[in-house]
Amino acid sequence: MAPSMVLAGARTVLPTGIVDDGRVLVEGTRITATGDAGRPPHSTTGPGAPVVDLTGHWLVPGFVDLHNHGGGGASFTSGSAEDVLTGIRTHREHGTTTLLASTVTEETDELVQRAGLLSELAEQGDLAGIHFEGPFISPCRKGAHSAALLRDPDPAEVRKLVDAARGQARMVTLATELPGGLDSVRLLAEQGVIAAVGHTDATYEQTLAAIDAGATVATHLFNAMPTLGHRAPGPVTALLEDERVTVELINDGTHLHPAALRLAFHHAGASRVAFITDAMDAAGFGDGRYLLGPLEVEVSEGVARLVEGGSIAGSTLTLDRAFQRAVTVDGLPVEDVVAALSANPARLLGLSDQVGSLAPGTYADLVVLDEDFALKGVMRRGEWVIDPQLG
């Protein structure tokens, strides 16, 4: 078991707000108490709990990523369990202490096999579950998915993938306007799996129908869907205006103009935004040639594009960079950024009692940032992944 410790002195983002001189007591794998300099956690007065002085830093919850295809040169969409673990470790080192592994469009049998491998890692606690992105998406908005492998969302095939995940399927991205789309959304809702609208060519009205059927997430809002028009408002408007929907945003400076990101925050509100990476193998690794499913990708200056056609192919983003950009470039309040990176995705996954906040009883998953919001330390389950070594 991890030793007890008191994390003291940081500007600490608690569920109740920011505490300028916070105290967080970690015992074993859990946070057991919180407070501030005036009202420290009661148990911190006991013997044997060393104090880690985080003065001059921020202390925030560990990040939760709903949409991630890999990192560290390794892919969640192909390769061995050790490859997947390499990607998981890479993102943990950037503050993501909880994540879903996302697939890409493949043949059904290959996706079933992939689901079996990923579900084992979820069962042992390395992943929070599986996100199926494709093959049930629009050929008009396929992005970095193989056109030859796309198909309509037949509920029987959707159910086959969910069953293959052995209870670890957490989200499926669908073009809900396609034949079988609404029935598949209803099936997913009945199974307790998030139905996400994405890679879609739906109209405003078709998107509303999907939400009414049970869809609750917008897969990387704005990307791989029609733009907002004054006569054809399309899916973006429907997804932003409906209180039942949480919108994913990729805040890497490539996928979204800062004004589009601010527009989403303004209309959806901070409680309905989830920052994601949509990362592929090159995240935390470097430029070069990679495969995303069956498609070849060229990463240059940190931007991933298909070799054939030039479509953006996921990102090389890590969530610590998304945090820093959101505060320093986009000018968002720290509390709103913490909600988008931690609390909101944890709520979507039904894990709010475990992760997503620095609340007593939750896992000791947390991130230490300096005054410029650069990552300095990461703790997961009470163990330092990156020790801040602040002396």
Side-chain angles (χ1 to χ4, degrees):
M1 177 179 289
S4 299
M5 69 185 80
V6 181
L7 308 175
R11 297 194 73 187
T12 304
V13 183
L14 299 175
T16 53
I18 296 175
V19 176
D20 285 333
D21 189 0
R23 300 288 191 276
V24 174
L25 176 63
V26 175
E27 295 183 289
T29 62
R30 302 275 179 171
I31 295 170
T32 56
T34 62
D36 56 34
R39 298 174 59 191
H42 176 71
S43 351
T44 64
T45 58
V51 175
V52 179
D53 185 2
L54 299 177
T55 302
H57 292 75
W58 287 86
L59 186 64
V60 302
F63 310 142
V64 181
D65 195 354
L66 298 170
H67 190 151
N68 190 316
H69 300 278
S75 174
F76 298 155
T77 68
S78 60
S80 66
E82 186 55 44
D83 293 328
V84 177
L85 290 171
T86 295
I88 293 169
R89 285 192 294 267
T90 296
H91 285 283
R92 282 184 188 168
E93 291 168 358
H94 290 273
T96 298
T97 51
T98 302
L99 61 80
L100 298 185
S102 301
T103 64
V104 294
T105 296
E106 297 275 10
E107 295 285 3
T108 300
D109 288 347
E110 292 182 16
L111 288 171
V112 166
Q113 183 177 11
R114 177 62 21 184
L117 182 148
L118 295 174
S119 65
E120 289 182 11
L121 296 174
E123 288 161 358
Q124 66 190 37
D126 294 298
L127 293 169
I130 303 169
H131 162 219
F132 292 101
E133 186 182 27
F136 313 116
I137 61 177
S138 171
C140 303
R141 306 286 175 177
K142 61 183 177 58
H145 290 255
S146 171
L149 298 175
L150 299 181
R151 44 212 184 268
D152 291 339
D154 173 30
E157 191 174 356
V158 173
R159 179 62 183 265
K160 184 175 182 179
L161 293 184
V162 171
D163 289 346
R166 303 199 303 262
Q168 301 300 327
R170 297 289 179 260
M171 183 161 65
V172 178
T173 293
L174 305 159
T176 54
E177 75 278 8
L178 295 175
L182 294 183
D183 286 340
S184 293
V185 169
R186 295 185 187 101
L187 168 69
L188 292 168
E190 290 169 1
Q191 295 294 312
V193 179
I194 297 166
V197 177
H199 288 274
T200 177
D201 204 39
T203 64
Y204 174 83
E205 292 78 13
Q206 288 171 326
T207 306
L208 288 181
I211 298 169
D212 286 339
T216 57
V217 167
T219 294
H220 44 54
L221 187 75
F222 298 110
N223 298 114
M225 60 182 62
T227 57
L228 189 154
H230 64 290
R231 291 193 181 92
V236 171
T237 304
L239 295 163
L240 280 177
E241 71 181 8
D242 198 299
E243 294 294 325
R244 294 170 288 182
V245 176
T246 297
V247 298
E248 295 181 347
L249 299 175
I250 308 171
N251 192 25
D252 62 352
T254 298
H255 282 80
L256 295 176
H257 190 283
L261 180 135
R262 291 192 296 268
L263 177 75
F265 263 90
H266 176 75
H267 285 280
S271 65
R272 292 204 294 118
V273 173
F275 280 140
I276 60 164
T277 60
D278 194 14
M280 45 78 71
D281 311 21
F285 197 68
D287 290 353
R289 288 281 180 108
Y290 298 87
L291 286 175
L292 185 59
L295 303 179
E296 192 171 16
V297 175
E298 176 77 31
V299 179
S300 177
E301 297 182 354
V303 178
R305 294 185 180 275
L306 291 182
V307 171
E308 185 176 343
S311 175
I312 293 177
S315 85
T316 62
L317 185 64
T318 52
L319 284 182
D320 59 327
R321 287 170 44 211
F323 193 120
Q324 187 175 43
R325 180 180 177 86
V327 177
T328 63
V329 176
D330 304 310
L332 296 173
V334 171
E335 305 99 307
D336 290 355
V337 178
V338 168
L341 283 165
S342 302
N344 298 342
R347 170 181 49 78
L348 275 172
L349 295 175
L351 297 176
S352 294
D353 61 336
Q354 301 291 320
V355 299
S357 73
L358 301 181
T362 61
Y363 281 117
D365 292 357
L366 51 88
V367 175
V368 180
L369 306 167
D370 68 16
E371 60 184 4
D372 297 317
F373 301 97
L375 184 142
K376 293 298 178 182
V378 180
M379 177 182 286
R380 184 176 187 273
R381 305 297 196 264
E383 299 277 359
W384 289 112
V385 177
I386 297 179
D387 190 328
Q389 297 182 339
L390 302 174

